[in-house]
Amino acid sequence: MFSRKGRCMSDQFKITLAQLNATVGDLKGNADKVMKAWEKARDEQSNIIAFPELFITGYNPQDLILKPAFQKASTETIQKIAEACSQGPAIAVGGPFCDEKNLYNAYYILSGGKIQAVIKKHHLPNEEVFDEVRLFSSGNVDGPFQVDQMRIGSPICEDAWHSDIVETLAETGAQTLLVPNGSPYYRGKTEIRQNVMVSRVVESGLPLVYLNLVGGQDDQVFDGGSFVLNPGGELVLQMPQFEESVETCVFKKSAGSWKAEVGHKSRILEPLESDYFAMVMGLRDYCKKAGFDRVVIGLSGGVDSALVATIAADALGPQSVRAVMLPSEYTSKGSLDDAAELSTNLNCRYDYLSIEEGRLAISETLSDLFKGTKTDLTEENIQSRLRGLLLMAISNKFGEMLLTTGNKSEVSVGYSTIYGDMAGGYNPIKDLYKTRVFDICRWRNENTRPWMKASGINVIPINIIEKPPSAELRPDQKDSDSLPDYFILDGILKILVDEDGTIEDCINAGFREEDAKRIQKLLFMNEYKRYQSAPGTRLSKRAFWLDRRYPIVNQWSE
């Protein structure tokens, strides 16, 4: 318990919410963000400024958090912040806490130059991308802490999704709930979060502050969207999604209880826009935090590479994007024209490198060894791998990270060439089914936003969106030669991947048994490719990597 007399009137209390972008492992950079935001809260005469879960270390730190030297440095960083911010508002910030035996996911309360309280997370999530059971110990349920005239209970992220922690806090005298989060985006999650938090408010009768992290970390994107609810569930403040923001919420006391005043309410984004913003932020932060300021993309004249190029231009700026067309004799004039038009629309650099001479040289090199064999997929893959070689050479020479362009439909069934078009460092559309790729392209052509660095609408040529998809690795090739139509393929994959369903589930949904069995076989047999694929923006609860972990060698079949 602690208080600082004379800060504010006894019937008013200010909480500043720092919805900021932390970087995993950047203790100094994250601490600098704390200090800068604290100065703003001090100028506004706030009582406390709050930061999200594990903000000091960045989230999700994975096994980095198990390194003793990192734990020690994190704790020392928090202590230094406390000492430097002794005169002004209290600070609530997430970081690791170690005792003699255990490591905890904790929330530190700093005031008067000292660490005044440490709240330890009790419920540890062990699903989807979360693996906290192997990283942390479960803490005891801590009671509320006091800052000036308010008693605050802080259930850390998952703790607020369970009624027991909030019930205990209410029973032990909490007057407001402050919930720090590291909650990554997936489509539709904003509504889910608010519904759960309304339940906690209704059950406890207390106002609730939901504070979320923002920014990209590997495959995960934290979408912010912090909010404040009053007793009864009224939404009184809504912070923006996918953007850093520092806002102060004023609470007033009346008849012995606290309520928040109505503040600014940012717009909640509809699903296509939120997916697109997530991909832009995911790529932007991946490049920034990994030390890349430029990217290179192999254009095909198709819709996938067009969307990735547009995302890159919006994320980094057109001047930071190099688009390369690598045609063979099978590349149509339409694809050449479409790729050039896209580059012009985006105002990014466009290079043209024919692979024909290289392909002929490789064919000649292999001719004696392949003598007497039939031309097959091998020769098609040589083209893709030659393109990958050239693009990686450009990446190495100019320090530009290569982006891959396979959508979730292709990644699922292995309709991609390992060490070829799968080569690269990041894939923004890895969790985007092909049918949704078309929807996102149309949305982007109709919309522009201040956070987009490429200008204008209608940047993706309509012919790219409307023409039949083709890898163009043999004469008159169409994707439909090898795969079911994408609306069928995606429908089956949503059942098998997103819902973990069965062949029977596919049949009951109206799909042919032979199609479902074939897709399931392709899904299982291409696990090895996904293990070697680039990370990409997570948009759903069943993204490939941490959400869905299957063995490479798998002989099971329905």
Side-chain angles (χ1 to χ4, degrees):
M1 307 293 181
F2 60 98
S3 63
R4 294 155 305 122
K5 296 181 180 179
R7 287 287 300 167
C8 293
M9 298 179 292
S10 61
D11 63 347
Q12 178 175 289
F13 191 91
K14 292 183 178 181
I15 301 178
T16 297
L17 310 181
Q19 176 180 289
L20 298 177
N21 188 342
T23 299
V24 167
D26 186 8
L27 300 178
K28 182 182 183 304
N30 297 337
D32 288 344
K33 289 198 169 199
V34 170
M35 299 284 289
K36 185 176 180 180
W38 175 82
E39 291 174 354
K40 179 178 180 180
R42 181 189 59 192
D43 294 343
E44 294 187 4
Q45 290 291 296
S46 291
N47 297 79
I48 186 171
I49 180 169
F51 296 86
E53 177 183 18
L54 288 180
F55 187 82
I56 288 298
T57 61
Y59 194 81
N60 184 344
Q62 297 183 288
D63 283 8
L64 177 63
I65 203 81
L66 299 177
K67 192 173 183 66
F70 185 65
Q71 298 168 8
K72 182 174 182 290
S74 300
T75 304
E76 290 174 349
T77 299
I78 293 171
Q79 183 63 58
K80 289 177 182 178
I81 292 172
E83 293 169 359
C85 300
S86 59
Q87 303 297 316
I91 297 173
V93 65
F97 176 80
C98 307
D99 59 20
E100 295 79 6
K101 297 181 180 179
N102 299 311
L103 173 67
Y104 300 95
N105 181 338
Y107 204 48
Y108 288 78
I109 312 304
L110 316 177
S111 182
K114 298 179 181 180
I115 297 172
Q116 298 287 356
V118 180
I119 311 300
K120 305 177 194 70
K121 192 172 183 177
H122 178 71
H123 291 292
L124 303 176
N126 200 50
E127 58 186 1
E128 299 169 7
V129 298
F130 303 108
D131 204 9
E132 291 198 10
V133 169
R134 73 184 291 269
L135 300 176
F136 301 108
S137 296
S138 175
N140 295 327
V141 180
D142 296 301
F145 58 90
Q146 183 150 346
V147 176
D148 296 331
Q149 64 273 39
M150 182 182 283
R151 287 176 59 82
I152 302 172
S154 276
I156 302 172
C157 198
E158 184 75 10
D159 285 345
W161 290 66
H162 300 263
S163 59
D164 58 340
I165 305 297
V166 171
E167 181 181 357
T168 298
L169 288 168
E171 289 175 350
T172 52
Q175 297 170 305
T176 298
L177 300 172
L178 170 60
V179 186
N181 294 268
S183 179
Y185 171 80
Y186 61 73
R187 198 174 303 121
K189 196 170 186 181
T190 298
E191 183 179 359
I192 295 171
R193 291 182 189 129
Q194 293 194 350
N195 287 340
V196 173
M197 293 306 116
V198 166
S199 296
R200 299 293 89 84
V201 165
V202 171
E203 293 162 0
S204 66
L206 300 176
L208 182 147
V209 175
Y210 183 98
L211 176 60
N212 194 24
L213 195 66
V214 69
Q217 172 60 37
D218 294 345
D219 67 318
Q220 296 165 48
V221 173
F222 299 89
D223 54 317
S226 305
F227 57 88
V228 177
L229 300 172
N230 264 337
E234 177 194 7
L235 179 71
V236 292
L237 184 146
Q238 175 65 62
M239 295 174 73
Q241 294 175 275
F242 302 102
E243 297 181 49
E244 288 191 306
S245 179
V246 178
E247 298 191 29
T248 297
C249 185
V250 179
F251 287 79
K252 292 290 183 68
K253 192 173 186 180
S254 177
S257 61
W258 292 95
K259 285 188 177 182
E261 292 186 339
V262 176
H264 178 71
K265 296 180 184 180
S266 295
R267 178 176 63 93
I268 298 298
L269 309 183
E270 54 90 15
L272 291 175
E273 181 172 356
S274 61
D275 271 7
Y276 191 77
F277 207 160
M279 290 185 288
V280 168
M281 171 168 275
L283 176 59
R284 182 181 295 164
D285 274 7
Y286 190 85
C287 288
K288 179 180 179 181
K289 295 176 181 182
F292 288 93
D293 57 8
R294 293 182 57 85
V295 295
V296 56
I297 303 158
L299 290 187
S300 67
V303 69
D304 298 320
S305 61
L307 179 57
V308 170
T310 305
I311 291 169
D314 279 335
L316 307 174
Q319 75 284 351
S320 297
V321 178
R322 180 196 298 264
V324 186
M325 185 60 170
L326 301 114
S328 73
E329 73 263 38
Y330 305 121
T331 304
S332 67
K333 184 178 184 302
S335 291
L336 293 171
D337 293 342
D338 292 340
E341 183 181 351
L342 172 72
S343 300
T344 299
N345 292 348
L346 292 176
N347 196 29
C348 64
R349 174 164 178 159
Y350 177 72
D351 291 315
Y352 179 99
L353 289 176
S354 173
I355 67 167
E356 184 55 24
E357 186 176 344
R359 190 188 70 80
L360 291 173
I362 292 171
S363 297
E364 178 63 25
T365 301
L366 292 169
S367 60
D368 287 343
L369 191 61
F370 285 5
K371 189 175 182 180
T373 64
K374 293 182 178 180
T375 299
D376 58 15
L377 189 62
T378 304
E379 283 73 20
E380 294 183 23
N381 286 341
I382 286 173
Q383 297 174 60
S384 180
R385 291 186 174 122
L386 179 53
R387 289 183 172 115
L389 184 152
L390 294 173
L391 288 167
M392 282 305 303
I394 293 170
S395 175
N396 291 162
K397 181 61 70 175
F398 300 109
E400 300 165 352
M401 186 175 69
L402 175 58
L403 300 182
T404 62
T405 61
N407 60 69
K408 190 172 184 177
S409 308
E410 295 172 348
V411 170
S412 295
V413 298
Y415 196 65
S416 54
T417 305
I418 195 165
Y419 320 125
D421 59 316
M422 289 180 65
Y426 194 81
N427 181 358
I429 66 170
K430 185 178 181 179
D431 198 27
L432 202 65
Y433 285 119
K434 184 77 168 191
T435 48
R436 196 165 179 85
V437 167
F438 291 113
D439 293 338
I440 291 280
C441 286
R442 293 187 180 97
W443 178 88
R444 176 59 182 89
N445 270 358
E446 296 170 358
N447 294 274
T448 185
R449 296 287 187 268
W451 44 266
M452 298 174 181
K453 294 190 176 183
S455 60
I457 59 174
N458 296 320
V459 291
I460 302 174
I462 192 65
N463 188 55
I464 288 180
I465 300 173
E466 293 184 347
K467 67 184 177 184
S470 171
E472 294 191 330
L473 297 174
R474 62 176 184 266
D476 301 318
Q477 183 182 23
K478 300 289 186 294
D479 288 5
S480 55
D481 298 338
S482 305
L483 298 170
D485 288 336
Y486 278 111
F487 76 91
I488 295 175
L489 175 62
D490 290 356
I492 293 173
L493 287 172
K494 287 173 184 177
I495 294 172
L496 297 179
V497 177
D498 297 356
E499 301 171 15
D500 237 351
T502 65
I503 298 298
E504 184 178 357
D505 293 329
C506 296
I507 296 170
N508 291 339
F511 297 105
R512 297 193 309 167
E513 181 178 2
E514 53 266 41
D515 285 339
K517 286 184 174 179
R518 180 178 168 224
I519 297 309
Q520 185 188 66
K521 181 180 179 181
L522 290 171
L523 178 66
F524 284 170
M525 69 185 290
N526 283 287
E527 196 67 45
Y528 79 101
K529 287 188 179 181
R530 291 189 288 273
Y531 266 66
Q532 300 179 64
S533 65
T537 311
R538 177 184 187 251
L539 303 172
S540 71
K541 292 179 68 174
R542 294 292 283 173
F544 293 119
W545 191 36
L546 294 179
D547 282 307
R548 183 185 182 277
R549 312 179 200 186
Y550 270 65
I552 296 175
V553 177
N554 174 19
Q555 293 296 324
W556 183 85
S557 172
E558 291 180 53

